[in-house]
Structure formats: structure tokens, C-alpha cells
Amino acid sequence: VERITVIGLGLIGGSLGLALKAAKLPNIEIVGYDTDTIAAVDARRLGAVDKTEPTLQRATADAGMVILATPIVAMRQVMEEIASGLRENCIVTDTASTKSLVTEWAGQLLPPHVSFVGGHPMAGKETAGIANADAKLFAGKAYCVVPSPNATESAVKLVAGVAHLIGAQPLFIDAHEHDRYVAAVSHLPLVLSSALFSLVRGSPAWPELAALASSGFRDLTRLASGDPELSHDICLTNREAIIHWLERMVEELSRYRELLAESQEEELFKLFTRAQLDRDTYMAAGPPTRTEVTRDVPDLGEQLTALFVGERLARRAREMGKLFSEPPSGGRTSPKVDGRAPEKRHRR
Amino acid sequence: VERITVIGLGLIGGSLGLALKAAKLPNIEIVGYDTDTIAAVDARRLGAVDKTEPTLQRATADAGMVILATPIVAMRQVMEEIASGLRENCIVTDTASTKSLVTEWAGQLLPPHVSFVGGHPMAGKETAGIANADAKLFAGKAYCVVPSPNATESAVKLVAGVAHLIGAQPLFIDAHEHDRYVAAVSHLPLVLSSALFSLVRGSPAWPELAALASSGFRDLTRLASGDPELSHDICLTNREAIIHWLERMVEELSRYRELLAESQEEELFKLFTRAQLDRDTYMAAGPPTRTEVTRDVPDLGEQLTALFVGERLARRAREMGKLFSEPPSGGRTSPKVDGRAPEKRHRR
């Protein structure tokens, strides 16, 4: 039995567990860990994990894949604590909303025999916690796959395969590029939402404003109800890109302000019309189309298992300096898949 | 049969028609008019009006109540065109998103024997047009009632009664106050939404940004898909208040920017936490509670008709300088309600 361990059983970790369990992977056990023991109990009760372990070390020591789904700033310490216990060729991935620092930490802290492949499901809710976990949270959503420099090709494919398995669209992207892009489409909206709510809420006329506020105000301020810890982590770990986009947003708003102040009615009308047309086009296009590479990723539990096993063998073989001449280590599982030797599948 | 005329059969006018028809008012005929004859045909077909008239004058000449639901900037001309043909004690109301200018126009253009009571249902959709009209659009929403200086008390009650009848919450408010408030909760979000979309759409990295954008970006930019004519009209007719709130929003964003730039992490965390708590409180409170005065408004078709009739008589009597000694004018309808003379109901 191969083990996938989810560290951090909140909304994202819990939803990942539920989605993986829903895929009914044969020979795969989903193990969970959370410092919050109540969350751990809930995760078991909700069926997001097969079991939980009482310590980080026990949860991760035998895992073929470790998924870090804790708050971003906690990931550094988790990496430190699990690094020495990770087995050879373990694949470590994460779900952090920013990727540069996490990738940097992985490079510094994880041992070279481990492949780190960052991940970021472009899905969320403003309601945090395991209680809001949902197996379908990732369906149809983009899932950024951010390989670290030392990640093996099959580790990258495996993480993309997991994304695919849970219904998401793997999108391969560089960590810095990722952070600049999500600053625009995810973090700027977050700050806008929070700033808009704070501004209006802070008005002495708030009771009247609240009575008049309708769906527009509620939609625009929805992200202000998001987990403040997450918002804070995002700001800390993507500071420069967010500052950049905030400055551009201030410029854009000042442009609207100027047009209003100068009564440039025609220009204003053009702006609104252009935005409407472009947004309607964007909305009509639907979610991102599947990239070519996603057809190449495993989408079945069998292949997942085979890849786990094959990867482990291949890495071991490379490190031993000889190809396929070493059998899998005795203490660890060496499952066969459909009666075929894992070596054979790896060579494919 | 008393006639309520809806001028402008778009999303709001059409929804009002549907909602009024759904109330199955006895002895009330809903008449529609739109310069767009296709919209007029659709309104009849969808049952938003009992009939349409081919000219503004014919649609409004016999109406007890005229509801202007055209674009804001068109209202001035409509008032000019219908003013001379409005019958004595006709009640004119509107649905414009801004109220100061419309109220000013009414004061200048409508004859003194007409009561103007502004209205603004705090409801909408980003999809315009009669095809998107919905009888339940106003259910549970605030409906601003903005009496003009010369409006009679019963005209105000009647407009509030209509709001109540279609499921909304009448909120009595002064025109200038209204405009300052909706600039914050409605027009600022609109400009923010459009500016955010324009900014991100204008990036050279737009294809990648679009692939990464998720529900947060879509929600925050929803209002950018709104009718550009409406957005433009709003900006033209509420310029100063919108400029005021845009400037405050720029200050607020600059504050977030400063905190980021100066690494004031604790302050940022406090801001996000405060916003989350306050928004959750706001959302939990639900829609505005019914104001005392709404219990005092008619909520039945019979009362509506009685008020129409009673009001007409009372005004006429006052103008004649004698109370109830004059019978209703022969040419106009003088319906009885449930066999009771309208005078009697008026005295209530």
C-alpha cells in the first residue's frame, strides 16, 4: 500500500483528501496530520483521510507523496521537521497561494533524494476549515504545477496526475511567474475587497450604507470574509508583486477619477463599454482549455501506483550508479501492479 | 380600472411589470411603453404588461401612476414630453440609480398638480434587458423612496406601497443623502470592478492571467459586465460623490500599500482580521429590517385603488377650496371599490 500524506487538514487539505478518496485509488492510503487534533478527528469522520498520525514524523516517514496544505508561513517549519525522515524519492508538494518562497525553502531544507514540485489549486472559499471541505472544490479549476529545479520528470507528472485526478487542470508554470500572475488575479482582488469593506464600514454613515448595500457590494467584498491568516501570509510572501499591482490599481482608479473630474464623458463610456465587451468574451470562453501535457499525465490509480514505484526504483538506481540492477529495498513495500513488475512499467 | 404605466421596459421596468402583475391587483391595468418596439412586444409576450401604447403621451395620459424606468439621462426628456398630458394628481415615480438630478428635473418639468416621489430599487443584474426581467428581482431588497418637496403624503405612501407589494423594503431617504450613500456601496464597487477588469485585461500577460483567474477575480469583476450605458449615466449624474469615494478608496489602497512596503505585518493582519469579523457580522445581520413606516403602507390592491381614488379626490377638493363637496370629474373614471364610495375610504 502506497501512502499519500496530507499535512494540514483545513479547507484545502480536507478537500484534497476527500477528492483523492473519491477517486478510490487502489493500494493508496490517505494519511492526514494536523496540529489541531479536532481537525484531525473531523477529517477522519468526514472520510477525508483513511487515518491520521499523532506526529508529523510518523505521518510522513513512509509516504510516497507528502502534500503540505498548512498556512504558507508554517510550511518552512514543517519542511524542517520532516526533512530528515522522508524516504528516498519521496515527492513533496504543497498548496500554498504563493510559490517563490516555498520553492526556495524546499531547496534549502529538503534532502536531495526528495523531489519538490510546488502546487497551487486555483480554488477556494471564503469559509475556511475542514467543515467546509468539498471533494468537488477543484473540479474544472486550474491547478498550478511548479517544478523545483531538482524535481524529476516523473515527480512532476505525478503531481500533475493528482491535479488531473481530482478534476483540475494542471498548468505548468515557473514560481516567480506564478507569483506575479496571481498577484494580479487573486491577491489584488483580495486586497481590494478588504479595503473596500474597511473603507465603507469605517464611515460614520455605516448603518445607512449597510441598509442600502445590495448584491454588488456583497460580491465585491466577499473576499474580505476570507481567512485573515491566509490573506496575511499571501501579503508576506508575495509583497513586491502585490505592491506592484496595488500601485497600478491606484493609477487605474486615478484615471477614472480624472475622467470624471474633467467630464470626459465619451472616454468614460468607452472604458465601460470596452470592459463589458472584454469581460463577456472572457466569461464566454469558460475555464482554461486542457494543455497538451495533461493528456500525458497518469489519470488512474493504477498508473499512480506504478509511477510511485517506478520512480522510486529509478531514482534509487541512478543514485546507485547502476540501472535497474537493484531490487527495491527490502523494508519498503514493492508492490506489483496487475502482475507486472514495476520496473517494466517504468521503462515504458 | 386604474392604470399604472411603466415607461422603459428593460430589466428594471420589465421586472417591475412582472412583479406588479404577479400581485394580481384588482382593477389595475399595467400599461407599458418603450421606444424599442421589440422590447414592447417582448414585455407583452412575457406578461410584464397588460398592454403597450405606441406613444408616450397615450401611455401616460390616463395613468394614476407613471413609473419611469428608462436610462437616467433619458428621464429628463420623458418628463418634458409627458408633463402637459399628465392627469390631475397623477403620481410620477422613477427607478433611477441616482436621485438628485431626477428630483430636480421633476421639480422643473412636471406640473404642480402631479406628485413626484423618486424611487430606487437596490436590485439589479449585470444582464440587462426585458429578457432577463424577473418578478422576484426586488424580493427582500431595499427600495429607496425619495419624496420630492411637493409630493403629497399619500403619494409617498403609495410609492412605498408599491415597493412593499413587490416584496421590497421601502427606505425613506433624502435625494442628496441617497446619492452620497449609493456612491459608496454601489457606484464605487461598479467603478472598482470595471477598473480591475480593465487593468488586468490590459496586461500583456492576459492569456496567462485569464488561465489563472478563479472565482475571486470573476466575482470582483462581475459589475464590469453591467450595462455600460447605466454605468455611464450613473457617473454623469453622481459625479461628485463618486469622485469623493474614489479618492477615499485610493487613500485606503495606498494605506495597504504602505503597510506592505514598510513590512507592518501586525497592522496588516489586524486590518484583515477586522474586515473579516465586521463583514461576517454584517452578513449575519441579513437584509435591513422593516422600518416602522412600512406597516403603515397599503399592501393590497384594493387599498392601492382606494388610495389612487381618494388622493385624486382630496387634491381636487383642496384645489377647489372646498372639502368633498365636488363630485369626481365626469370625464375621468370614478370607480367604486367593493361597492363603497371612494370618498368614504379616503376619510378613514
Side-chain angles (χ1 to χ4, degrees):
Chain A
V1 174
E2 193 61 57
R3 182 178 265 205
I4 298 180
T5 296
V6 181
I7 306 295
L9 300 167
L11 173 69
I12 299 295
S15 298
L16 266 170
L18 286 172
L20 287 169
K21 292 276 290 168
K24 296 194 195 303
L25 302 171
N27 301 315
I28 299 273
E29 179 187 51
I30 311 294
V31 177
Y33 173 79
D34 202 298
T35 48
D36 176 356
T37 50
I38 294 170
V41 169
D42 284 347
R44 283 201 307 272
R45 194 174 46 78
L46 293 167
V49 294
D50 292 305
K51 60 185 287 193
T52 55
E53 293 279 10
T55 67
L56 258 181
Q57 285 71 23
R58 279 182 56 180
T60 53
D62 282 328
M65 178 183 277
V66 174
I67 304 176
L68 308 178
T70 65
I72 310 175
V73 293
M75 286 184 183
R76 182 180 187 136
Q77 200 186 331
V78 171
M79 287 186 195
E80 266 176 358
E81 291 184 22
I82 65 173
S84 64
L86 292 174
R87 79 180 197 199
E88 199 108 4
N89 301 317
C90 175
I91 295 163
V92 179
T93 184
D94 75 306
T95 62
S97 301
T98 62
K99 300 263 65 83
S100 300
L101 273 175
V102 173
T103 304
E104 203 178 303
W105 297 336
Q108 291 163 359
L109 301 169
L110 299 182
H113 64 267
V114 159
S115 269
F116 180 77
V117 180
H120 180 203
M122 304 305 293
K125 282 188 196 175
E126 69 276 24
T127 47
I130 181 80
N132 297 294
D134 176 4
K136 303 219 176 301
L137 187 64
F138 312 104
K141 302 290 169 68
Y143 197 116
C144 295
V145 178
V146 185
S148 72
N150 84 325
T152 62
E153 198 192 321
S154 56
V156 175
K157 280 193 180 177
L158 195 54
V159 171
V162 166
H164 188 75
L165 190 75
I166 62 175
Q169 297 276 151
L171 283 178
F172 296 88
I173 188 167
D174 163 79
H176 295 288
E177 220 171 34
H178 169 277
D179 286 0
R180 284 200 303 272
Y181 293 166
V182 293
V185 295
S186 181
H187 307 163
L188 174 60
L190 179 66
V191 174
L192 277 183
S193 201
S194 184
L196 174 63
F197 188 83
S198 298
L199 174 65
V200 174
R201 177 64 183 80
S203 165
W206 168 245
E208 290 78 16
L209 297 174
L212 289 177
S214 186
S215 54
F217 182 73
R218 282 200 297 277
D219 279 6
L220 268 276
T221 59
R222 180 176 68 84
L223 302 178
S225 282
D227 179 7
E229 198 181 346
L230 175 59
S231 307
H232 183 235
D233 277 10
I234 285 172
C235 285
L236 294 192
T237 59
N238 204 17
R239 189 192 315 273
E240 281 177 30
I242 299 175
I243 289 176
H244 167 80
W245 282 103
L246 267 177
E247 286 172 351
R248 295 195 56 185
M249 187 67 194
V250 163
E251 284 166 22
E252 187 75 10
L253 290 178
S254 302
R255 185 172 148 227
Y256 278 78
R257 191 213 160 283
E258 286 311 303
L259 291 176
L260 275 164
E262 295 168 7
S263 298
Q264 298 219 34
E265 310 174 357
E266 206 178 302
E267 278 307 307
L268 267 176
F269 186 59
K270 278 188 201 162
L271 271 184
F272 284 121
T273 306
R274 184 80 256 161
Q276 185 207 29
L277 287 172
D278 285 344
R279 187 170 184 279
D280 288 352
T281 305
Y282 159 66
M283 292 301 285
T289 50
R290 275 176 192 276
T291 49
E292 193 62 28
V293 72
T294 63
R295 295 201 195 101
D296 196 30
V297 298
D299 60 354
L300 293 170
E302 185 204 317
Q303 287 171 289
L304 209 59
T305 308
L307 256 169
F308 267 141
V309 175
E311 168 61 14
R312 198 172 342 142
L313 292 174
R315 283 293 296 263
R316 167 162 292 267
R318 273 201 299 281
E319 279 152 17
M320 297 289 178
K322 39 193 172 170
L323 277 165
F324 304 112
S325 56
E326 180 95 352
S329 64
R332 299 270 163 71
T333 56
S334 63
K336 302 207 170 188
V337 179
D338 289 349
R340 285 168 294 187
E343 291 89 337
K344 207 159 174 189
R345 288 198 67 78
H346 175 73
R347 251 185 230 120
R348 204 166 49 113
Chain B
V1 173
E2 193 60 56
R3 180 178 267 204
I4 298 180
T5 295
V6 181
I7 306 294
L9 300 167
L11 173 68
I12 299 297
S15 298
L16 265 170
L18 286 173
L20 287 169
K21 291 278 290 171
K24 297 194 193 305
L25 301 172
N27 301 316
I28 299 273
E29 178 186 49
I30 312 294
V31 176
Y33 173 81
D34 201 298
T35 48
D36 176 355
T37 50
I38 294 172
V41 170
D42 284 349
R44 282 201 307 272
R45 194 174 45 79
L46 293 168
V49 295
D50 292 305
K51 60 184 288 192
T52 56
E53 293 279 9
T55 67
L56 258 181
Q57 285 70 22
R58 279 183 54 179
T60 52
D62 282 327
M65 178 183 277
V66 174
I67 304 176
L68 307 179
T70 66
I72 310 175
V73 292
M75 285 183 182
R76 186 184 182 131
Q77 200 186 331
V78 172
M79 287 185 194
E80 267 175 0
E81 292 184 21
I82 65 174
S84 64
L86 293 173
R87 80 179 196 202
E88 198 108 3
N89 301 318
C90 174
I91 294 163
V92 179
T93 184
D94 75 307
T95 62
S97 302
T98 62
K99 299 263 68 82
S100 299
L101 273 175
V102 173
T103 304
E104 203 179 303
W105 296 336
Q108 291 162 0
L109 301 169
L110 298 181
H113 64 268
V114 158
S115 269
F116 180 78
V117 181
H120 180 204
M122 302 307 292
K125 283 188 196 176
E126 69 275 26
T127 47
I130 180 82
N132 297 294
D134 176 3
K136 303 216 176 302
L137 187 64
F138 311 103
K141 304 289 170 66
Y143 197 116
C144 295
V145 177
V146 184
S148 72
N150 83 326
T152 62
E153 198 192 320
S154 57
V156 175
K157 281 193 180 178
L158 195 55
V159 170
V162 166
H164 187 76
L165 191 74
I166 62 176
Q169 295 281 148
L171 283 179
F172 296 88
I173 188 168
D174 163 78
H176 295 286
E177 218 171 35
H178 168 277
D179 287 1
R180 285 199 303 272
Y181 292 166
V182 293
V185 294
S186 181
H187 307 163
L188 174 61
L190 179 66
V191 174
L192 276 183
S193 201
S194 184
L196 174 63
F197 188 82
S198 299
L199 174 64
V200 174
R201 177 65 183 80
S203 165
W206 168 246
E208 289 79 16
L209 297 173
L212 290 176
S214 186
S215 53
F217 182 72
R218 282 200 296 278
D219 280 6
L220 268 276
T221 59
R222 180 175 69 82
L223 301 178
S225 283
D227 180 7
E229 198 181 344
L230 175 59
S231 306
H232 182 235
D233 277 10
I234 285 171
C235 285
L236 293 193
T237 58
N238 204 16
R239 189 192 316 272
E240 281 176 30
I242 299 175
I243 288 176
H244 167 79
W245 282 103
L246 267 177
E247 286 172 351
R248 295 194 57 184
M249 186 67 193
V250 163
E251 284 165 21
E252 187 75 9
L253 289 178
S254 302
R255 183 171 150 226
Y256 278 77
R257 191 213 160 281
E258 286 310 304
L259 292 176
L260 274 164
E262 295 168 6
S263 298
Q264 299 218 33
E265 311 175 356
E266 206 177 302
E267 278 307 307
L268 267 176
F269 186 61
K270 277 188 201 160
L271 270 184
F272 285 121
T273 306
R274 185 80 254 161
Q276 186 208 28
L277 286 173
D278 286 343
R279 187 170 183 279
D280 288 352
T281 305
Y282 160 64
M283 293 300 285
T289 49
R290 276 175 192 276
T291 48
E292 194 60 30
V293 71
T294 63
R295 296 205 193 98
D296 196 30
V297 299
D299 60 356
L300 292 170
E302 184 204 319
Q303 287 172 289
L304 209 59
T305 307
L307 257 168
F308 267 141
V309 176
E311 168 61 14
R312 198 171 343 140
L313 291 174
R315 283 294 296 262
R316 166 160 292 266
R318 275 201 299 280
E319 280 153 18
M320 296 290 178
K322 39 193 171 168
L323 278 164
F324 305 113
S325 57
E326 180 94 352
S329 65
R332 300 269 164 72
T333 54
S334 63
K336 302 207 170 186
V337 178
D338 290 350
R340 286 168 293 187
E343 292 90 335
K344 205 159 178 189
R345 286 199 69 75
H346 176 75
R347 253 184 229 117
R348 202 165 52 110

